[in-house]
Amino acid sequence: MNRIALLPPEISQKIAAGEVIERPSSVVKELVENSLDAGAAEIRVELLDGGKRLIRVHDNGSGMSRDDALISFERHATSKISREEDLSAIRTLGFRGEALASISAVSRVTVRTWDGEEAQGVQVERAGGQLIRVSDAAFPKGTRVDVEDLFFNLPARKKFLRSDRSELSLIAKYVTNAALAYPGVRFILVHGKREIINCPAVGTLRERIFQLYGKAFLDRLAEVDGEDKVARITGFASKPLMGRPDKNHQFFFVNKRPVRDRVLQAALNQSYRGFLEKNMSPEAFLFLALPYEDVDVNVHPSKIEVRFKDSPFVFHLVLKTAGNLLLGTRTIKEIYPEAGERRLAGGVAETTDAPPLPLGVPEPPSMAKPGIPTFFAAAGVPAHVAGLQVFGQYLDTYIIMGREDALLVIDQHNAHERVLYEKYKEIGRGKDWPRRMPLIPVLIELSPSQAPALEENGPLLEEAGFRAEAMGGRTIALREFPEIFKDGEAAEVFLSLLEEMKEGGVEAKRERLLATMACKTAVKAGERLSREKMAFLVEELFKTSQPSLCPHGRPVIVKIDRSEIEKGLRRG
Ligand code: ADP
Ligand code: MG
């Protein structure tokens, strides 16, 4: 008994349609793309029941002639490409000539259109892929497509549709995407009687973001602009520290086509490492423009994924552009532009035999640990930093500073960590760690998981100043370690570094290694600091590339605006 048979055409057509047309939002996407390809200046989308009952897309674009309107429903009927070569440089959103065929196979479709040239417009009605009626119609230039009862002839697929509300939200998401990519086009989205989106044409993306999301949202973003050779990246992305706990607000467009793309996503998220708190991700609207022949859009049925000819190039362009943005907008520097630009008198004591501090301020004993550099000024530092007055220390843990318009609360450990991390990075680049060679090597017993971690990461640790030698079994001898650690600390530090080395790529490991070394040598919470030391620490902090975050991504500074204080005291 034969089990396999060829599907009759009316079924195979539906199956193919099922791939592109999955739900109301895919219909909206295809129709709006057609309107954009037709050069519309205004696109109106009307829905009933989340698009299940009716999707109407009305545009004022080029319209179609009577013959075109009839043939547009044939599979592979398209005006956008004609030769095979066209496929390698697609300039339009559509090109497969399948959307109208697929949509009309699974719904009742009525198209009205007029191209402004023929004597009058035409109305074409189809249902389940069959032509029902063609008639003349008085219609302004443009096209209106009504799609009713989606999947009326495919009950199984209809069952998989979600609630009206969630279908609507997918549609709103797509229309938002399209509106972002085409600020010069007016978009209107109406559900029943409710207007969901209505944004008149504007000149810039900035205005469009403002229309869609409002001012508060826009204020969190900085403008992105970078180019290299033939490619350009524009758009907006989070200012440092302004991320959100998910990746839901990352929009990528390639030649104005909204896409999902791992290369762009990875590059964006990597750029923000160290500029956002732990577990936070940037918001972004990134538009990549590159020659049509450098990107293949013919790789995914609904064209939501693309393939770059040269992904590493794209990756680095994003990394570089976002990096420039981030380095250009260091939050705290923005608030205190003068910070970090003033040089203060007084040298930096990097060794322990610094002269005692002036002003008779007693030196807290914990700061006098031999071997640990303090990076604090030895003399003559006023208790002012860049226009900020140092008021004192709270709970021996937080430095309280301020000036007329705000109070700053600075976490001394996190701040010192940031300072040391950048110094260590500097030293690490030169690989010239001042080392200590203990008289008696420090013997360490490794755990079964630490032993392979050492084998794998020996060179990295050596770079950071640690030289270990195998002694047989899992015992090792630490022969050399950076001078910043005491004999008694070295073993513990070395073991925690090994723990940090268990996963990740070389660059991530190197960063974590330095961050951990900074953490181990930074002042602790609960250590009393003199005012001069506080001032010096803050001065150094503002010289770093990112004063607002410690290398582990924890915040360093809390700012309390004077207006907030006054509001609390009912003075404002
Ligand atoms: P594709 O967009 O891939 O060409 P479609 O099935 O979406 O295929 O559309 C087929 C053709 O119908 C298009 O190439 C275009 O010529 C015409 N068309 C569809 N929608 C519109 C519209 N809104 N305005 C003008 N022409 C349209
Ligand atoms: Mg199309």
Side-chain angles (χ1 to χ4, degrees):
M1 193 176 102
N2 285 337
R3 285 178 188 273
I4 297 179
L6 281 176
L7 290 170
E10 62 272 21
I11 300 182
S12 58
Q13 205 176 24
K14 283 178 192 169
I15 291 173
E19 283 176 22
V20 191
I21 305 303
E22 285 184 320
R23 49 190 353 110
S25 61
S26 13
V27 174
V28 172
K29 173 175 185 292
E30 294 297 336
L31 297 181
V32 168
E33 284 188 358
N34 281 346
S35 298
L36 288 167
D37 282 343
E42 180 171 324
I43 300 173
R44 182 181 175 91
V45 181
E46 289 173 35
L47 309 168
L48 291 177
D49 301 350
K52 295 174 197 163
R53 188 140 70 91
L54 170 75
I55 296 165
R56 167 177 295 166
V57 176
H58 188 171
D59 69 55
N60 62 355
S62 65
M64 284 178 271
S65 67
R66 189 185 185 94
D67 288 350
D68 276 358
L70 282 166
I71 203 175
S72 66
F73 288 97
E74 299 299 320
R75 193 161 295 279
H76 307 305
T78 178
S79 58
K80 299 169 192 175
I81 56 174
S82 56
R83 301 163 308 164
E84 206 191 317
E85 304 93 271
D86 295 342
L87 264 181
S88 56
I90 288 161
R91 289 149 206 276
T92 46
L93 293 165
F95 55 89
R96 293 193 177 127
E98 291 199 310
L100 290 182
S102 302
I103 293 168
S104 82
V106 297
S107 65
R108 303 179 218 279
V109 178
T110 306
V111 174
R112 291 181 193 205
T113 187
W114 184 47
D115 64 1
E117 288 168 19
E118 297 192 333
Q120 52 188 326
V122 64
Q123 171 167 324
V124 181
E125 292 167 65
R126 298 180 70 105
Q130 301 300 314
L131 181 64
I132 305 285
R133 197 181 352 241
V134 185
S135 46
D136 293 338
F139 193 74
K141 186 176 171 187
T143 304
R144 191 181 94 183
V145 183
D146 289 8
V147 176
E148 288 170 277
D149 300 328
L150 185 63
F151 300 138
F152 78 94
N153 53 352
L154 274 181
R157 190 161 281 273
K158 194 168 177 168
K159 262 206 325 253
F160 278 100
L161 294 183
R162 296 191 219 153
S163 66
D164 291 1
R165 184 206 286 242
S166 77
E167 295 296 342
L168 171 63
S169 98
L170 290 172
I171 293 171
K173 200 170 165 196
Y174 170 73
V175 175
T176 302
N177 264 308
L180 287 165
Y182 293 83
V185 175
R186 173 172 205 168
F187 284 87
I188 300 162
L189 173 64
V190 181
H191 186 237
K193 291 198 164 56
R194 217 175 111 219
E195 193 175 84
I196 315 276
I197 293 173
N198 184 350
C199 40
V202 284
T204 62
L205 174 64
R206 178 187 291 278
E207 291 163 285
R208 183 54 41 106
I209 294 176
F210 178 85
Q211 288 175 320
L212 291 167
Y213 296 96
K215 179 171 186 311
F217 186 82
L218 193 56
D219 283 345
R220 300 158 55 80
L221 304 175
E223 196 154 3
V224 176
D225 195 348
E227 57 188 324
D228 191 1
K229 292 183 206 136
V230 285
R232 178 151 185 216
I233 295 243
T234 52
F236 288 85
S238 292
K239 291 176 183 168
L241 296 175
M242 295 285 183
R244 50 183 288 130
D246 55 59
K247 295 188 168 68
N248 295 343
H249 272 157
Q250 302 186 347
F251 298 84
F252 302 102
F253 302 81
V254 175
N255 291 339
K256 293 202 174 183
R257 183 190 300 278
V259 297
R260 238 181 1 222
D261 185 75
R262 289 230 194 103
V263 174
L264 295 172
Q265 205 180 31
L268 175 76
N269 290 303
Q270 184 171 325
S271 334
Y272 275 79
R273 266 212 327 238
F275 288 92
L276 290 176
E277 282 178 42
K278 220 178 182 168
N279 304 324
M280 300 291 267
S281 300
E283 293 161 331
F285 304 91
L286 289 191
F287 290 79
L288 173 64
L290 72 178
Y292 293 109
E293 51 274 18
D294 287 355
V295 50
D296 187 0
V297 297
N298 194 15
V299 293
H300 188 268
S302 47
K303 300 164 285 179
I304 186 80
E305 283 167 19
V306 295
R307 197 176 295 135
F308 299 116
K309 250 192 200 142
D310 188 353
S311 323
F313 169 76
V314 169
F315 184 87
H316 284 107
L317 178 59
V318 174
L319 210 61
K320 193 176 72 179
T321 309
N324 287 345
L325 171 151
L326 291 164
L327 292 174
T329 44
R330 284 173 292 186
T331 353
I332 294 296
K333 294 223 172 173
E334 232 177 25
I335 305 168
Y336 297 102
E338 66 274 57
E341 263 126 55
R342 265 185 36 183
R343 285 236 42 85
L344 292 183
V348 178
E350 300 217 2
T351 54
T352 47
D353 44 18
L357 285 163
L359 311 173
V361 184
E363 174 71 345
S366 56
M367 295 307 298
K369 277 192 228 157
I372 301 188
T374 58
F375 295 118
F376 291 138
V381 180
H384 280 91
V385 180
L388 288 159
Q389 197 182 344
V390 180
F391 296 131
Q393 197 183 16
Y394 178 54
L395 302 175
D396 289 346
T397 297
Y398 309 110
I399 301 169
I400 312 293
M401 312 186 74
R403 66 175 197 187
E404 249 177 34
D405 61 348
L407 273 182
L408 293 190
V409 181
I410 298 178
D411 184 304
Q412 65 192 37
H413 174 73
N414 291 356
H416 199 194
E417 232 180 63
R418 165 54 67 184
V419 170
L420 293 179
Y421 173 71
E422 301 215 347
K423 291 218 185 250
Y424 293 172
K425 236 170 133 163
E426 200 56 46
I427 301 174
R429 253 195 290 275
K431 300 191 174 57
D432 52 355
W433 283 92
R435 295 164 195 233
R436 184 191 297 281
M437 223 185 294
L439 278 179
I440 309 157
V442 183
L443 291 183
I444 304 176
E445 182 70 23
L446 299 181
S447 74
S449 71
Q450 286 163 341
L454 174 58
E455 233 161 80
E456 197 187 320
N457 300 293
L460 261 183
L461 286 157
E462 185 120 353
E463 223 176 73
F466 291 89
R467 192 162 62 81
E469 225 166 70
M471 298 296 282
R474 288 198 304 269
T475 308
I476 55 150
L478 203 51
R479 298 253 176 226
E480 272 178 26
F481 49 86
E483 205 181 55
I484 50 174
F485 300 110
K486 287 185 300 182
D487 288 12
E489 293 180 314
E492 185 234 315
V493 172
F494 186 74
L495 287 176
S496 42
L497 292 180
L498 272 185
E499 288 303 318
E500 296 286 341
M501 302 280 94
K502 285 188 178 162
E503 53 195 62
V506 174
E507 220 21 71
K509 282 181 184 174
R510 190 176 278 138
E511 263 170 40
R512 264 185 312 200
L513 192 129
L514 295 177
T516 304
M517 287 170 66
C519 178
K520 296 283 178 197
T521 41
V523 294
K524 304 280 177 291
E527 279 183 37
R528 185 154 307 160
L529 305 181
S530 70
R531 270 229 228 178
E532 287 69 25
K533 285 190 171 176
M534 291 188 256
F536 193 78
L537 174 53
V538 174
E539 165 88 0
E540 291 289 301
L541 176 67
F542 282 137
K543 281 190 219 154
T544 63
S545 67
Q546 182 45 270
S548 319
L549 285 182
C550 87
H552 296 101
R554 284 184 308 258
V556 173
I557 304 172
V558 174
K559 176 169 170 263
I560 306 165
D561 286 332
R562 176 175 169 179
S563 58
E564 251 173 89
I565 297 173
E566 287 174 348
K567 208 158 70 204
L569 298 171
R570 309 275 182 272
R571 269 169 177 275

